[in-house]
Amino acid sequence: MKLSKHILKALIAGAALLALPVSAAEPSVPDFSKGMPGVNLEKNEKVNGNETFQLKTALSSKEFSTTLIKFLGPGWGVRKLNREEMILAANKGRTSNATVNLAVYKSAKVPGVNIRVIHLEYKEGNRGPSVEIAVIREEKD
């Protein structure tokens, strides 16, 4: 009888250890504060619970999108842009004299969070592409 209690305790302990990495892999808001592969952080601002990251990169818009999807991890996907976001992209393109690619990412497992990504490729000068990532938390009533 003692042997079976020890085996049972060992099995429970082993099951608990196996469960830990699974919960650690749950989707969460990614940390852009150290940049990401091929992208260097230039500036980070926090305002009203939202965080904006200004980054420099040599990656094209398509290359950046591929890198970002890997960085975000499973569960994150692009959602349809709303009217205000399309107006923001158009204004950003005019004021920056750049080609703008805007995408907003959401995850059902991280409710209330949108990650707005603006990739700019400048039309003049020797400026490389830049990226603005805004982690936007929906207000709770």
Side-chain angles (χ1 to χ4, degrees), residues 72-128:
L72 291 173
W76 288 92
V78 177
R79 71 157 171 75
K80 186 177 178 182
L81 298 177
N82 63 38
R83 179 175 160 70
E84 292 79 22
E85 291 161 342
M86 288 187 248
I87 291 169
L88 171 71
N91 288 338
K92 196 79 122 158
R94 276 194 297 279
T95 59
S96 302
N97 194 22
T99 301
V100 176
N101 287 294
L102 169 66
V104 179
Y105 295 83
K106 270 189 99 116
S107 172
K109 295 185 179 180
V110 187
V113 175
N114 288 290
I115 297 177
R116 185 183 66 213
V117 179
I118 301 173
H119 184 278
L120 299 164
E121 291 187 30
Y122 299 96
K123 296 176 183 176
E124 294 178 355
N126 293 334
R127 297 175 68 183

Side-chain angles (χ1 to χ4, degrees), residues 45-63:
E45 298 177 35
K46 292 181 184 182
V47 178
N48 298 329
N50 297 325
E51 200 164 8
T52 303
F53 302 89
Q54 302 290 333
L55 306 127
K56 279 291 189 196
T57 185
L59 300 174
S60 71
S61 179
K62 187 174 181 176
E63 293 167 326

